[in-house]
Amino acid sequence: MTEIVPYLSIAIVALLASFSTFFSGFGLGTILLPVFSLYFPLELAVLATALVHFSNNLFKFGMLREHLNFGILLSFGIPAGIGALIGALSLQFTSHSGIAYSYLVFGKSLTVDWVSVLIGILMLFFALMELLPYFERIQLPNKWLPIGGIVSGFFGGISGHQGALRSAFLSKTTLTKAQFVSTGVAISFIIDLTRIGIYFKSDFSHLPIKLILIGSSFAMIGSVYGKRLFEKSVNLNIRKIVAIFLFVMGIKILIGL
């Protein structure tokens, strides 16, 4: 029974998270990474999540390509690719930096490495971006889009947590709902393509192929149903739910759980 748990959890989370992206602008990589990290080291979990995210972005773009805004894609997407390259290389460096801290709790030793510290802090940061009203009031003109692309791509390259920041920038533009989703998917695709190439320079001989295929398949199912409701102009406010989950998982990673 316990052998089925990873498959069920990855399948359910991938489906629901992919569905949610049509209404929150992010969610698949944000939620799936903590679930993969329950079963694998964080560096491997980041790559597994990136592969599911990449395949789903390719699938979603095929459904939404006619709504793409090329101007935003160029001004935000190209800098995002550069940022993703820097972020992915930073992750490679951090992965070899060893243990950050360890301690005992009820006789059990908990150890946290620097990769976990980095990703845990990023999770908390992006959760607070959604939970604190201050960030909703920030207005950014289009001239900031290239900088937003670099910053979003950088964090995407490190941990895949690019969606919340990308959505924060794109939501301040004049994009329609359909353009927002389509252009966001194309930008995310550029970031994924860049970072995956860097990740594969490490030894990933134990890559969980079956779980990645299951996650990708169920993410595509979630995208199909998400698109159907999206086209019916159904509004679902689930960003706060995603943020709370992200905050809790960020804390758990930082304390070694």
Side-chain angles (χ1 to χ4, degrees), residues 9 15 34 36 67 93 100 106 109 137 139 146 148 179-180 216 242 250:
S9 59
L15 188 150
F36 265 117
H67 301 292
F93 172 78
F106 301 115
S109 177
R137 296 192 294 267
Q139 297 293 325
Q179 288 175 328
F180 176 84
S216 299
V242 172

Side-chain angles (χ1 to χ4, degrees), residues 10-22 28 32 51-63 212-228:
I10 294 296
I12 293 171
V13 170
L15 188 150
L16 294 177
S18 177
F19 174 88
S20 76
T21 59
F22 283 85
L28 179 57
L32 199 56
L51 290 171
V52 174
H53 200 257
F54 174 82
S55 63
N56 192 58
N57 275 333
L58 187 61
F59 180 75
K60 284 172 64 178
F61 185 70
M63 296 191 295
I212 291 171
L213 291 175
I214 287 174
S216 299
S217 300
F218 277 84
M220 291 177 187
I221 295 172
S223 292
V224 170
Y225 284 97
K227 182 174 181 286
R228 288 182 183 178

Side-chain angles (χ1 to χ4, degrees), residues 181-204:
V181 176
S182 177
T183 307
V185 167
I187 293 169
S188 183
F189 179 82
I190 292 173
I191 293 174
D192 285 341
L193 190 62
T194 303
R195 67 190 179 114
I196 286 173
I198 300 298
Y199 294 164
F200 267 116
K201 290 184 178 180
S202 298
D203 178 20
F204 290 113

Side-chain angles (χ1 to χ4, degrees), residues 61-73:
F61 185 70
M63 296 191 295
L64 299 163
R65 61 187 181 277
E66 66 271 16
H67 301 292
L68 178 67
N69 184 299
F70 283 98
I72 299 294
L73 178 63

Side-chain angles (χ1 to χ4, degrees), residues 84-152:
L85 176 63
I86 299 171
L89 290 172
S90 299
L91 177 65
Q92 296 293 296
F93 172 78
T94 309
S95 65
H96 301 293
S97 56
I99 303 300
Y101 51 86
S102 60
Y103 59 98
L104 290 174
V105 177
F106 301 115
K108 181 180 180 180
S109 177
L110 297 178
T111 301
V112 182
D113 58 27
W114 282 108
V115 173
S116 300
V117 171
L118 180 61
I119 292 178
I121 290 174
L122 288 178
M123 286 184 178
L124 295 183
F125 172 73
F126 286 113
L128 291 174
M129 275 190 63
E130 292 299 318
L131 294 172
L132 297 179
Y134 168 78
F135 291 100
E136 295 181 1
R137 296 192 294 267
I138 296 177
Q139 297 293 325
L140 297 170
N142 283 0
K143 67 180 182 179
W144 289 96
L145 285 178
I147 296 176
I150 291 176
V151 175
S152 174

